[in-house]
Amino acid sequence: MFHAASSLVPGSRSPKNRNDQHNGPPDDHDDGSPGRSGLGRPEDGSAERPSSRPGARRDAFFDNAKYLAIVLVALGHSWEPLKGDSRVLQAAYMLVYTFHMPAFIVISGFFSRSFDGSPARLKRLVTGVAVPYVVFESAYPLFKRLVDHDSQAAVTLLDPYYLTWFLCALFIWRLTTPVWKMVRHPLPVALVMAMLASLTPDFGGDLDLQRVLQFLPYFVLGLCLRPEHFRMVRRRSVRIAAVPVFALSLAFCWWAASKVDTGWLYHRSAAQELGQPWWAGPLMQLALFGCSLLLTACFFSWVPGRKMWFTVLGAGTLYGYLLHGFLIKGADYRGWFAHPALHRPLGEIGVSLAIALAVTALCTPPVRRVFRFVMEPKMAWAFRPDAAELARERARQEPGRQPGQAQERDGKRDEVRSDARRERVGVQER
C-alpha cells in the first residue's frame, strides 16, 4: 500500500509504474453526511455493537482500528530502508504487510455499503477521494523535484504515485459498489478477478489497475460484512487464540524472510513479473487472502472497543496517511536512512518511535483544521444545486414545515400563478 522511493524498492520493478511501495491509507471519507469523516459518535462508548448504519455515528472500535492501522502503515514505511540489516525487522515487516492493508480495505468496504450512486454520494466521493488524489498525486512529484532535485519526476494522474494509489482504488471500488450489491455471489467473483489479474503481465499500468483488482476481494468482503461479524471476532476466545496465531506467524515470517519475495505482499505485480510461473499467481492470491483474513481477524480482536486517548485520532487517519509520506520521502531523499546508527537495534527502535509519534501528531484536530480545505473541500461552486436538498433547506428555515409540505406549497403557488396568467390572457383576447 505504500510506494516508497526508488531507492526503497525491494527488488526490481517494472518501469511502467512509479509506485515504489504499496501501502494504502485508511478510509476516513466514508459515505456519511458531508463534512464528516469516519463512522459517527458512539452511543455508549463501546464497539461491541458496531453501527449498522454507516456514517450514522462514530464508533470507538473502528476509530481505534483505523488509528492503530495507520501507525502500522507508517512503521512499515520507516522499516523499508532499514530492514535489510535485521532478520527480525524483515519478519516484522512481512507480518505487518500481510494484514494492515487488508484491514483498511475491509473497513472501507464495510462503510461503503450505503453508496448508491446518488448525487449526494457522488459529490462526497469527488470531494473526499478524487480531489485529494489530484492534489497529492501532483504534490509528491513536485516534492521530489524540489527536495531530491529530480527534474524527471513527472505529474500524471493516470499513474498513481507513492501513497495515492489507494485513493484511486477507493474511487473505483466505490463506483462499482452498486454492481457488487446486485451480484449473487460477489466475493467469489472478486476472487476470480484478482486471480486472473495476478497471471496477466503488463496489465494495470494506468490507474494501477493491477493492484486495484488484486485488493478488490477485501473491499467486496467488507461490503458483505455485518456488525455481528465484528462482534464475533472480538470474543474473548478469539482474543486468546490470536496470541499464538501472531506468534507462529512471526516465526514463519522470520523463516520466510530470505525465501519469499515481498513483492507478493504489495499485490501490484503479476506472477511473471516476480520471476514465477503463471500458475503461481492465482495460488498465491488464494493463500495470501486466507492468511491476510486470519491476521486481520486477530488484529480486530485486539482493538479496544471503548473510547481511548487515541480514539479521536481515528477521524484523521487519512491526514496522517497522506502527510506522513512527505516525512519518509524527505528523509530518504536526504539520505538520512543511510546513517549507520539507524541500522542498529537502538536506531531502528528510535526511528519506529519517531514515526509513530509523527503520524499521531498528523492525525490530530489542529492538523486536520489546517488541511481540511484539501482533504474535505466543500466545493459547492462546482455542483448544481440539488432540488431535494433545497427543499429540505427551505423546510429547515420554516419551523413546522416538512420537505414534502414545502414542495406541495411551491406547487400550489405555481398553479395559482399559472391560473392568473391564463385569466389575464383571456381578458386581453376578449
Side-chain angles (χ1 to χ4, degrees):
M1 83 173 81
F2 319 110
H3 332 12
S6 57
S7 61
L8 306 185
V9 178
S12 61
R13 173 67 183 148
S14 170
K16 70 180 180 182
N17 197 316
R18 296 173 301 151
N19 301 332
D20 303 321
Q21 251 185 355
H22 73 280
N23 295 342
D27 173 29
D28 278 339
H29 294 279
D30 65 330
D31 286 319
S33 58
R36 296 184 66 116
S37 57
L39 314 184
R41 200 167 301 282
E43 292 181 343
D44 57 0
S46 170
E48 295 296 337
R49 299 181 181 84
S51 172
S52 59
R53 297 174 56 242
R57 60 182 181 274
R58 299 209 69 86
D59 191 309
F61 167 74
F62 289 104
D63 277 338
N64 292 340
K66 291 195 297 180
Y67 166 76
L68 295 175
I70 194 58
V71 171
L72 293 177
V73 167
L75 289 176
H77 275 134
S78 66
W79 292 345
E80 171 64 26
L82 305 175
K83 64 184 179 66
D85 299 318
S86 172
R87 186 75 173 269
V88 174
L89 201 59
Q90 290 178 5
Y93 179 87
M94 289 186 65
L95 180 66
V96 167
Y97 264 68
T98 302
F99 72 90
H100 69 352
M101 193 62 246
F104 270 136
I105 299 175
V106 167
I107 294 176
S108 300
F110 181 73
F111 286 99
S112 296
R113 295 172 303 156
S114 63
F115 185 86
D116 55 5
S118 63
R121 303 293 188 192
L122 290 174
K123 290 178 184 178
R124 177 69 170 162
L125 186 63
V126 170
T127 59
V129 179
V131 171
Y133 171 75
V134 172
V135 171
F136 284 89
E137 174 67 8
S138 304
Y140 273 110
L142 294 177
F143 181 75
K144 183 175 177 61
R145 283 190 175 193
L146 178 65
V147 179
D148 199 30
H149 307 292
D150 182 3
S151 60
Q152 302 300 318
V155 176
T156 169
L157 299 182
L158 295 180
D159 189 10
Y161 191 94
Y162 195 36
L163 305 177
T164 59
W165 79 266
F166 184 83
L167 295 178
C168 178
L170 183 60
F171 187 87
I172 296 173
W173 292 333
R174 280 221 171 127
L175 279 181
T176 62
T177 293
V179 176
W180 294 112
K181 292 195 293 187
M182 291 189 304
V183 175
R184 187 181 296 273
H185 303 293
L187 186 56
V189 173
L191 272 173
V192 170
M193 293 178 64
M195 294 166 64
L196 292 176
S198 68
L199 54 81
T200 309
D202 302 322
F203 168 75
D206 291 340
L207 300 180
D208 214 351
L209 291 180
Q210 183 73 258
R211 190 148 38 187
V212 171
L213 291 179
Q214 290 195 27
F215 275 116
L216 175 63
Y218 302 100
F219 182 82
V220 174
L221 174 64
L223 292 175
C224 299
L225 292 178
R226 297 186 299 274
E228 54 265 29
H229 294 131
F230 290 94
R231 292 197 295 268
M232 289 173 59
V233 300
R234 301 197 61 248
R235 295 173 180 172
R236 180 179 178 84
S237 58
V238 179
R239 294 175 183 174
I240 295 175
V243 176
V245 169
F246 266 116
L248 292 175
S249 299
L250 183 60
F252 175 81
C253 290
W254 186 89
W255 171 83
S258 60
K259 300 177 177 62
V260 178
D261 190 341
T262 54
W264 289 110
L265 301 175
Y266 305 150
H267 294 277
R268 69 178 178 216
S269 305
Q272 296 90 327
E273 295 175 283
L274 296 174
Q276 301 297 324
W278 66 269
W279 52 263
L283 293 180
M284 283 298 293
Q285 283 295 312
L286 287 177
L288 284 174
F289 185 73
C291 294
S292 297
L293 288 189
L294 176 62
L295 292 177
T296 297
C298 293
F299 169 73
F300 284 148
S301 72
W302 285 357
V303 173
R306 64 185 183 280
K307 189 173 183 179
M308 309 290 289
W309 65 268
F310 53 80
T311 300
V312 67
L313 303 179
T317 47
L318 183 64
Y319 294 76
Y321 173 78
L322 291 174
L323 294 173
H324 90 276
F326 291 104
L327 302 180
I328 299 294
K329 286 288 191 178
D332 175 58
Y333 296 154
R334 292 301 185 183
W336 295 348
F337 285 119
H339 197 286
L342 300 183
H343 292 260
R344 301 188 183 99
L346 288 179
E348 294 166 355
I349 294 174
V351 169
S352 300
L353 291 176
I355 195 62
L357 292 174
V359 75
T360 298
L362 293 175
C363 294
T364 56
V367 174
R368 288 159 52 194
R369 284 193 292 270
V370 171
F371 290 95
R372 182 167 286 129
F373 75 100
V374 172
M375 306 289 197
E376 301 176 83
K378 296 187 181 300
M379 295 181 61
W381 54 268
F383 303 103
R384 294 180 179 179
D386 184 19
E389 182 62 29
L390 291 176
R392 286 192 291 268
E393 182 64 25
R394 285 196 297 267
R396 284 194 293 268
Q397 294 175 357
E398 299 182 24
R401 295 277 188 176
Q402 298 298 324
Q405 293 175 330
Q407 293 175 351
E408 181 180 357
R409 178 200 61 198
D410 293 342
K412 291 181 178 179
R413 182 183 301 166
D414 294 339
E415 183 178 351
V416 170
R417 290 175 178 173
S418 178
D419 291 342
R421 189 179 302 110
R422 285 196 297 269
E423 184 175 339
R424 286 195 302 269
V425 171
V427 170
Q428 292 174 359
E429 289 178 351
R430 290 195 296 270

